[in-house]
């Protein structure tokens, strides 16, 4: 039976953007990393270990007793698999540090090579959405990868209200609407992203009505569909929370906005597209963010906003539902320095003011 060593590194997409081995996340991301150290206990298996401070051992015991979770902080010589939230050179460095501190280096060979991580970095680039949409062949306007600010300016003039996206970013950060800026400021921001990450993605703006995602798992060279995810985000894309409920209820909500049979046909195509795209290079969870939008008075589906080649909050929400099976609909999100409300459940011990909560919805 494999013993996994888990790491919650929500800053991983930012680390991919820089592509460096020793990444220092911004204060907010670093605090969330510390607060969520025990988050992998919600999907860990019996005997698994968590890369978390030894000081959280008592908290881990309480989580096991309260929710029936698995996992314990600390390294073990029995580890056979490493599972971060997402892979980057910085994630590999964090695992290596834990191995070296244990005075046991024989597990270094289980870690991916730097060249493999670079391949995963390229697949995590937002340009992967161009490949996926092209293969789906649904007549949808494709994003454009721009390597100069003039292209960004030209596209915004031609299609006012474009969304400008950093190639690597997370939770909607690194995304902005061009119409909110004057041309000089737009040029400056686009040049900044291009200088840091080599290019910038430009997408035509859509009148969004709902966010959702399809969840997949890649193993043994094949990608298979695992479930649906409903999440909430601001209009400009910043993630705010995930719905925790049964797959039947999530599908019922989606059916009010789109044809479920058509969605399943898209999912079947995505299994093949993703198998060809990532199957031979990646093992782990992946999510394809989608949305519905209003066009000419009709609700339409945008089948690939982006590919997340990592663990996602949608997968976490699915795992939490499997553990707790709460009735009705709940929202999973992070709170910061806010008192707990009626009926809310704290899923992790509050750290530095951050609290992961499950909130019942009326």
């Amino acid at each position: 039976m494999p013993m996994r060593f888990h790491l919650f590194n929500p800053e991983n997409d930012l680390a991919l953007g820089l592509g460096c081995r020793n990444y220092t996340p911004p204060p907010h991301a670093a605090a969330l990393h510390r607060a969520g150290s025990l988050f992998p206990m919600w999907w860990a298996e019996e005997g698994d270990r968590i890369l978390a401070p030894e000081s959280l051992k008592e908290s881990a015991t309480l989580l096991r007793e309260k929710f029936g979770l698995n996992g314990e902080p600390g390294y073990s010589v029995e580890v056979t698999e490493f599972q971060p939230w997402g892979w980057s050179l910085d994630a590999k460095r964090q695992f290596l540090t834990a191995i070296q501190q244990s005075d046991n280096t024989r597990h270094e060979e289980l870690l991916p090579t730097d060249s493999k991580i670079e391949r995963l970095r390229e697949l995590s680039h937002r340009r992967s959405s161009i490949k996926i949409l092209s293969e789906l062949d649904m007549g949808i306007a494709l994003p454009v990868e721009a390597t100069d600010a003039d292209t960004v300016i030209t596209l915004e003039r031609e299609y006012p209200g474009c969304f400008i996206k950093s190639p690597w970013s997370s939770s909607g950060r690194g995304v902005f609407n061009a119409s909110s800026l004057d041309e000089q400021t737009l040029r400056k921001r686009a040049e900044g992203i291009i200088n840091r990450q080599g290019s910038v993605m430009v997408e035509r703006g859509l009148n969004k009505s709902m966010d959702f995602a399809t969840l997949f798992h890649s193993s043994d060279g094949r990608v298979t569909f695992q479930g649906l995810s409903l999440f909430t985000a601001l209009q400009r894309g910043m993630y705010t929370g995930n719905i925790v409920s049964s797959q039947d209820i999530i599908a019922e909500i989606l059916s009010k906005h789109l044809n479920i049979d058509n969605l399943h046909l898209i999912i079947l195509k995505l299994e093949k597209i993703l198998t060809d795209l990532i199957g031979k290079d990646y093992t782990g969870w992946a999510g394809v963010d989608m949305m519905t939008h209003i066009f000419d008075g009709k609700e339409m589906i945008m089948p690939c906003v982006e590919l997340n080649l990592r663990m996602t909050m949608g997968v976490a929400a699915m795992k939490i539902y499997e553990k707790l099976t709460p009735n009705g609909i709940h929202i999973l999100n992070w709170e910061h320095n806010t008192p707990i409300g009626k009926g809310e459940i704290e899923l992790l011990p509050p750290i530095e003011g951050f609290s992961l909560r499950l909130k019942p919805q009326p």
Side-chain angles (χ1 to χ4, degrees):
M1 180 177 179
M3 179 183 287
R4 301 167 183 86
F5 193 34
H6 299 270
L7 166 66
F8 178 60
N9 54 323
E11 72 281 3
N12 195 66
D13 291 344
L14 301 175
L16 286 174
L18 285 180
C20 62
R21 195 176 305 276
N22 293 284
Y23 173 69
T24 301
H28 181 275
L32 190 62
H33 177 123
R34 292 189 291 271
S37 294
L38 295 179
F39 196 11
M41 289 184 68
W42 283 95
W43 53 89
E45 303 289 341
E46 184 177 355
D48 286 1
R49 296 301 181 97
I50 313 293
L51 206 168
E54 294 285 323
S55 59
L56 293 179
K57 279 200 168 187
E58 184 176 343
S59 295
T61 299
L62 292 174
L63 287 172
R64 285 195 297 271
E65 293 174 350
K66 184 176 182 180
F67 297 116
L69 306 185
N70 294 300
E72 183 178 344
Y75 191 68
S76 168
V77 294
E78 302 302 322
V79 164
T80 58
E81 188 176 330
F82 293 87
Q83 285 196 357
W85 183 264
W87 278 112
S88 62
L89 290 175
D90 184 65
K92 181 178 179 180
R93 175 194 60 80
Q94 293 182 60
F95 280 131
L96 277 172
T97 299
I99 292 172
Q100 291 161 0
Q101 288 175 347
S102 73
D103 295 324
N104 189 312
T105 59
R106 70 183 181 90
H107 288 147
E108 292 185 18
E109 62 189 31
L110 297 176
L111 291 166
T113 62
D114 288 3
S115 60
K116 182 169 184 177
I117 289 177
E118 178 56 30
R119 173 59 179 159
L120 297 180
R121 179 176 183 265
E122 287 303 309
L123 289 171
S124 298
H125 192 293
R126 278 195 165 103
R127 72 166 71 93
S128 286
S129 63
I130 300 175
K131 171 71 171 175
I132 292 169
L133 287 170
S134 297
E135 292 290 327
L136 284 172
D137 192 23
M138 295 173 61
I140 294 169
L142 300 178
V144 174
E145 183 179 6
T147 55
D148 62 88
D150 287 340
T151 300
V152 177
I153 300 297
T154 299
L155 287 168
E156 172 58 18
R157 286 175 180 168
E158 189 171 356
Y159 306 104
C162 286
F163 279 85
I164 314 301
K165 300 183 177 183
S166 301
W168 296 278
S169 66
S170 62
S171 302
R173 294 172 176 84
V175 176
F176 64 91
N177 192 298
S179 64
S180 64
L181 306 175
D182 60 63
E183 192 169 294
Q184 182 179 358
T185 305
L186 174 58
R187 179 181 296 277
K188 184 176 180 180
R189 289 194 64 175
E191 287 175 344
I193 296 171
I194 293 167
N195 288 336
R196 290 190 300 272
Q197 298 193 6
S199 64
V200 65
M201 303 302 297
V202 184
E203 299 176 12
R204 297 187 198 182
L206 299 174
N207 184 17
K208 181 175 71 174
S209 54
M210 183 182 63
D211 290 293
F212 69 104
T214 46
L215 308 174
F216 299 85
H217 193 269
S218 178
S219 62
D220 299 322
R222 186 179 174 213
V223 176
T224 55
F225 173 69
Q226 299 293 312
L228 298 166
S229 165
L230 273 176
F231 62 95
T232 55
L234 302 178
Q235 191 64 26
R236 64 188 180 92
M238 186 173 290
Y239 171 87
T240 54
N242 246 92
I243 285 180
V244 176
S245 193
S246 70
Q247 286 291 300
D248 287 343
I249 288 177
I250 290 174
E252 181 182 349
I253 295 171
L254 280 171
S255 69
K256 297 174 182 177
H257 298 265
L258 52 81
N259 185 304
I260 288 292
D261 290 336
N262 288 344
L263 176 60
H264 284 310
L265 289 176
I266 292 171
I267 289 169
L268 286 174
K269 291 181 181 179
L270 282 172
E271 285 186 320
K272 182 181 185 309
I273 292 168
L274 293 176
T275 292
D276 292 342
L277 182 64
I278 68 173
K280 69 178 185 298
D281 297 302
Y282 177 67
T283 297
W285 288 97
V288 176
D289 284 353
M290 302 181 174
M291 68 177 177
T292 55
H293 63 99
I294 308 299
F295 181 74
D296 283 346
K298 296 181 180 179
E299 206 157 14
M300 312 284 286
I301 184 172
M302 173 55 161
C304 180
V305 176
E306 65 182 34
L307 169 68
N308 291 307
L309 206 60
R310 53 170 169 76
M311 182 71 173
T312 71
M313 289 298 289
V315 176
M318 189 167 61
K319 295 296 184 181
I320 289 167
Y321 178 80
E322 290 172 2
K323 290 285 187 182
L324 301 181
T325 58
N327 292 323
I329 297 173
H330 292 68
I331 294 290
L332 172 71
N333 66 356
W334 291 94
E335 295 287 346
H336 189 237
N337 291 331
T338 56
I340 190 165
K342 183 179 179 180
E344 294 182 5
I345 302 173
E346 284 188 328
L347 302 177
L348 294 174
I351 295 177
E352 299 182 37
F354 283 93
S355 175
L356 182 66
R357 297 182 192 170
L358 202 58
K359 299 181 177 184
Q361 296 300 292

